[in-house]
Amino acid sequence: MRPPLWIPAWLLLLHGCATARLPQAANARTDIRDCSTDPPYLPPTATDTTARVLALRGAMQALGAQAYVVPATDAHMSEYISARDARLGWLTGFTGSAGTAVVTQDKAALWTDSRYWTQAERQLDCNWELQRMTWIESIAMWILEAVPVGGNISLDPFLFSIDTWNSYRQALQGSGRILLPIETNLVDQVWGDQRPPAGSGEIYSLPEEFTGSSWQEKVARIRQEMEQHVRHPTAVLLSGLEETAWLFNLRGDDIPYNPVFYSYTLLTNTSISLFVGEQRLAPAARSSLRAGCPGPLCVELREYGQAPEHLRQYVQGNVTVWLGTEYTTYGLYSLIPQEKLLEDSYSPVMLAKAVKNSREQDLLRAAHVRDAVAVIQYLLWLEKTVPQGEVDEFLGAQRMDALRQAQEHSRGPSFQSISASGLNAALAHYSPSNGSSRQLSVDEMYLADTGGQYLDGTTDITRTVHWGTPTPLQKEAYTRVLMGNIDLSRLIFPPNTAGRVIESFARRPLWNVGLNYGHGTGHGIGNFLSVHEWPVGFQSNNVPLTAGMFTSIEPGYYQDGEFGIRIEDIALVVEAQTEVPQWGRAGGWHSAGGTKAGLGAPNTTSAQHQSGENPFLTFEVVSLVPYDRNLIDISLLSPEQVRYLNTYYESIRARVGPELQRQQLQEEYDWLQRSTEPFPLGRAAATTGTGTTGVLALATLLSALLPGLQA
């Protein structure tokens, strides 16, 4: 039955705008392999892996392994890995950041998630099956079909987390197959002398002015936690590269975009063992570490490869080893008898690193001021050059990196810049390359997700802009993403609240019109360390939020094949200046001092309840770059959201304006003044910030009405 005539034609048109999906941008996503033809078709981006797979099968056969599992990880569970550890990429040709390969004597398969399916089809040759399920159970099912009963499934235990190892063990339990750890990595063996060399860059001490406290103070704090723990552990084992770098105030360059170095640490009550390439330590770093020798603050320097054997010897005594399971491999974990283990998800060093002291907070704030200068320079440059047709995505990313590099204390980007125009911005992990880069246009939305490493902090910021006339759909989608960013940023919440409990505030304005985004809402960030710093954030395995933690807040929306929106800021968790009403015994409002209050608003106190509860928390946004006014529909914002936005813009002017003037960037200063003009409250929606008056809201309403009306 057709819709009744009372449904206006313009409402039907809006419904079409909001729900239609353009074709999947075939030109951008074709040229993938076709293994059904004879001969098979392989695009130029595919890698011939025949010799590599055959060599691996030979090594497997020599050891009696019927299957060999290859992950995308390194021995420290790092998010980014070095070229030397890119075993999965070398073996398969697939360069995505997430994946697992399994090779048998007659089959080979790669598992990866939906972010990388198209990339995998472009990079794999026909030696490989692409499996589009990522659960370990699906890998185990494939193995059970490919490996006969009694066969061995082998892997390197020093490349698998404890949880992953246990998941494989449970999935294969009772199947008659044997999960067999092999400490000699077979991919390394067949890679041979073509494998990239180990890192050789200098490991150096951070200058004192860029540290929150000395490494001796940090060691004393961890030892105090060991002493106060009910089980009184005798040692803490550190496997995460950030842990050792933070503890000793050392930095290196072994991992792209992350100033860390390959290392382990075993910190006991009375000794400290640092496993590292000793010859790589700068003289000042060596002197600092050895200044307390002999004694409990003497750092014994041992070669990196000696860590497993030293741990094996240490646990022969009457000891208890405290470790974080998230960053410890099964290979190290299995060396410690169960009765001598103290396990937590995260080590005490990882948790201490997550909560910045006042000095570290000030350092990160300062880094974000200079970073804002670089981003403002970039946005102004784009504003002037894009209309002339002179910029593509790759050139834009290079320009952004160069502007950051020119800032004081810069040490390069904190990750590969995401510079995405039009439909490419709908791919959450898209990064441009030279020769295959989309031209920036005034007719398309542009998303720039970039970050920098500075001696005083790590930054990460995303801004989405449009230099022409955005469609109503684009404008409302952007505004709702901004509303989500604002709602979470201004939220006041109880202490010890888990991020997962409150992250829906960032999604609610989108949910109100039936939209969502498929990535996390935020992640922790380091002080000149990792751009994604665990265990802070809004996911289920993150720790509760505490004052002193930094996290990103980054809602988004992605219209496949058309455009993408993300607005990302870094925010510090701080104590909220709450106003708590005091209720008198006689049934009326009373002030904290007990005097009778008037019949109007009650008197208040700040920060702490009379019950003695800890102060409530909120966020202080430290990213200081204005949003695109061209994409904001002010009529959708509540008065509270507009007030927040205007206050934020006042903060940007107060903090970034003087730095622009100090650097004699007058044109950028003028741009900042224009971009941070206060928004008029009179145009805001008379709602609580979840108004449903826009294009998307009307389309959502229509989507709900039409099926019933057509029945």
Side-chain angles (χ1 to χ4, degrees), residues 649-662:
Y649 278 7
E650 289 175 7
S651 176
I652 294 176
R653 284 187 172 189
R655 301 199 63 195
V656 182
E659 181 64 19
L660 288 168
Q661 291 179 315
R662 188 187 72 82

Side-chain angles (χ1 to χ4, degrees), residues 196-339:
S200 58
E202 186 177 70
I203 299 168
Y204 57 93
S205 292
L206 270 180
E208 185 177 349
E209 62 266 31
F210 298 114
T211 63
S213 53
S214 70
W215 70 260
Q216 293 91 340
E217 291 170 325
K218 294 177 182 178
V219 166
R221 173 182 172 182
I222 300 305
R223 281 177 169 162
Q224 184 179 33
E225 291 189 39
M226 293 164 61
E227 183 179 342
Q228 294 174 347
H229 197 285
V230 65
R231 287 193 56 190
H232 303 295
T234 60
V236 173
L237 176 64
L238 305 179
S239 296
L241 301 184
E242 298 172 40
E243 297 178 298
T244 290
W246 178 85
L247 182 65
F248 296 113
N249 291 330
L250 297 174
R251 298 295 186 269
D253 63 357
D254 288 357
I255 304 289
Y257 309 114
N258 294 265
V260 295
F261 50 92
Y262 287 110
S263 57
Y264 295 99
T265 296
L266 187 68
L267 170 63
T268 78
N269 326 33
T270 57
S271 66
I272 310 169
S273 296
L274 171 59
F275 301 89
V276 69
E278 182 179 351
Q279 71 284 357
R280 299 175 54 196
L281 286 166
R286 181 192 298 270
S287 296
S288 172
L289 296 173
R290 301 288 293 167
C293 298
L297 289 175
C298 170
V299 179
E300 297 291 341
L301 300 174
R302 305 176 187 274
E303 284 304 308
Y304 171 75
Q306 294 177 357
E309 182 56 33
H310 183 85
L311 179 62
R312 187 181 283 112
Q313 293 298 321
Y314 178 76
V315 298
Q316 299 303 311
N318 183 23
V319 298
T320 300
V321 179
W322 194 2
L323 55 78
T325 56
E326 289 289 329
Y327 283 85
T328 305
T329 63
Y330 180 79
L332 283 180
Y333 176 85
S334 64
L335 299 177
I336 308 170
Q338 284 293 311
E339 68 274 11

Side-chain angles (χ1 to χ4, degrees), residues 357-525:
N357 62 29
S358 59
R359 174 63 181 153
E360 291 168 323
Q361 293 172 26
D362 288 342
L363 287 168
L364 261 168
R365 287 189 184 100
H368 279 84
V369 171
R370 298 192 311 280
D371 194 71
V373 170
V375 177
I376 287 168
Q377 287 179 287
Y378 181 56
L379 292 175
L380 175 59
W381 177 77
L382 288 174
E383 201 172 279
K384 295 192 297 184
T385 55
V386 169
Q388 301 170 22
E390 298 177 355
V391 188
D392 64 19
E393 296 165 326
F394 185 73
L395 178 62
Q398 287 187 311
R399 178 75 174 189
M400 182 68 260
D401 291 346
L403 290 168
R404 275 202 174 91
Q405 190 67 47
Q407 288 296 313
E408 188 178 15
H409 307 317
S410 175
R411 291 298 182 270
S414 56
F415 57 96
Q416 185 177 2
S417 294
I418 297 174
S419 171
S421 183
L423 57 87
N424 287 339
L427 306 173
H429 291 265
Y430 172 85
S431 290
S433 59
N434 196 11
S436 60
S437 185
R438 189 177 181 86
Q439 196 80 9
L440 272 59
S441 166
V442 295
D443 298 320
E444 291 186 335
M445 298 184 82
Y446 172 69
L447 185 154
D449 185 348
T450 65
Q453 292 285 12
Y454 303 88
L455 288 174
D456 46 355
T458 304
T459 69
D460 182 7
I461 185 170
T462 307
R463 290 295 182 263
T464 306
V465 296
H466 196 302
W467 300 284
T469 304
T471 67
L473 170 61
Q474 291 172 334
K475 195 164 185 174
E476 182 170 348
Y478 179 93
T479 303
R480 289 188 176 278
V481 171
L482 175 61
M483 291 161 66
N485 181 292
I486 291 173
D487 286 351
L488 185 53
S489 298
R490 63 188 288 267
L491 184 69
I492 295 174
F493 52 93
N496 296 315
T497 296
R500 68 178 184 277
V501 175
I502 61 174
E503 76 101 43
S504 60
F505 282 87
R507 298 179 186 268
R508 185 180 176 189
L510 290 167
W511 284 357
N512 283 337
V513 291
L515 302 180
N516 202 359
Y517 52 92
H519 56 73
T521 295
H523 56 80
I525 197 164

Side-chain angles (χ1 to χ4, degrees), residues 450-636:
T450 65
Q453 292 285 12
Y454 303 88
L455 288 174
D456 46 355
T458 304
T459 69
D460 182 7
I461 185 170
T462 307
R463 290 295 182 263
T464 306
V465 296
H466 196 302
W467 300 284
T469 304
T471 67
L473 170 61
Q474 291 172 334
K475 195 164 185 174
E476 182 170 348
Y478 179 93
T479 303
R480 289 188 176 278
V481 171
L482 175 61
M483 291 161 66
N485 181 292
I486 291 173
D487 286 351
L488 185 53
S489 298
R490 63 188 288 267
L491 184 69
I492 295 174
F493 52 93
N496 296 315
T497 296
R500 68 178 184 277
V501 175
I502 61 174
E503 76 101 43
S504 60
F505 282 87
R507 298 179 186 268
R508 185 180 176 189
L510 290 167
W511 284 357
N512 283 337
V513 291
L515 302 180
N516 202 359
Y517 52 92
H519 56 73
T521 295
H523 56 80
I525 197 164
N527 276 83
F528 188 35
L529 277 171
S530 174
V531 71
H532 292 163
E533 183 176 85
W534 290 83
V536 180
F538 299 95
Q539 299 185 51
S540 59
N541 57 348
N542 292 141
V543 297
L545 295 169
T546 301
M549 291 179 172
F550 282 83
T551 181
S552 69
I553 295 176
E554 48 182 303
Y557 174 68
Y558 308 91
Q559 185 90 340
D560 194 27
E562 296 184 48
F563 63 86
I565 299 164
R566 188 159 60 253
I567 300 175
E568 176 184 17
D569 293 310
I570 301 301
L572 168 64
V573 182
V574 296
E575 292 183 0
Q577 296 304 305
T578 52
E579 296 185 340
V580 184
Q582 306 299 318
W583 187 260
R585 292 183 180 178
W589 291 108
H590 286 259
S591 69
T595 35
K596 178 74 173 175
L599 296 177
N603 289 351
T604 61
T605 58
S606 64
Q608 191 162 343
H609 292 279
Q610 284 184 318
S611 64
E613 293 178 2
N614 290 327
F616 274 42
L617 302 174
T618 189
F619 296 105
E620 172 198 330
V621 174
V622 299
S623 299
L624 297 167
V625 177
Y627 311 117
D628 186 7
R629 300 177 80 92
N630 189 36
L631 283 166
I632 300 174
D633 182 352
I634 191 70
S635 69
L636 292 176

Side-chain angles (χ1 to χ4, degrees), residues 94-254:
F94 170 69
T95 59
S97 63
T100 301
V102 181
V103 177
T104 69
Q105 287 301 326
D106 57 358
K107 300 175 72 176
L110 171 79
W111 284 257
T112 191
D113 63 62
S114 59
R115 294 174 297 168
Y116 297 114
W117 289 344
T118 300
Q119 179 179 339
E121 293 286 11
R122 296 191 59 180
Q123 293 182 325
L124 297 175
D125 66 6
C126 292
N127 287 302
W128 297 91
E129 303 172 14
L130 176 60
Q131 300 290 328
R132 298 171 188 258
M133 297 279 289
T134 56
W135 299 105
I136 288 176
E137 289 78 3
S138 72
I139 301 176
M141 289 297 295
W142 188 93
I143 290 173
L144 291 176
E145 292 180 4
V147 176
V149 173
N152 293 328
I153 295 93
S154 300
L155 43 72
D156 180 347
F158 289 92
L159 293 181
F160 288 83
S161 70
I162 300 163
D163 285 346
T164 302
W165 173 275
N166 287 333
S167 295
Y168 278 112
R169 180 179 55 80
Q170 292 168 8
L172 297 172
Q173 194 169 21
S175 69
R177 283 80 168 175
I178 302 167
L179 191 60
L180 181 66
I182 301 177
E183 293 191 13
T184 299
N185 189 284
L186 299 188
V187 175
D188 294 351
Q189 181 177 314
V190 299
W191 203 347
D193 58 9
Q194 298 301 306
R195 187 183 177 204
S200 58
E202 186 177 70
I203 299 168
Y204 57 93
S205 292
L206 270 180
E208 185 177 349
E209 62 266 31
F210 298 114
T211 63
S213 53
S214 70
W215 70 260
Q216 293 91 340
E217 291 170 325
K218 294 177 182 178
V219 166
R221 173 182 172 182
I222 300 305
R223 281 177 169 162
Q224 184 179 33
E225 291 189 39
M226 293 164 61
E227 183 179 342
Q228 294 174 347
H229 197 285
V230 65
R231 287 193 56 190
H232 303 295
T234 60
V236 173
L237 176 64
L238 305 179
S239 296
L241 301 184
E242 298 172 40
E243 297 178 298
T244 290
W246 178 85
L247 182 65
F248 296 113
N249 291 330
L250 297 174
R251 298 295 186 269
D253 63 357
D254 288 357

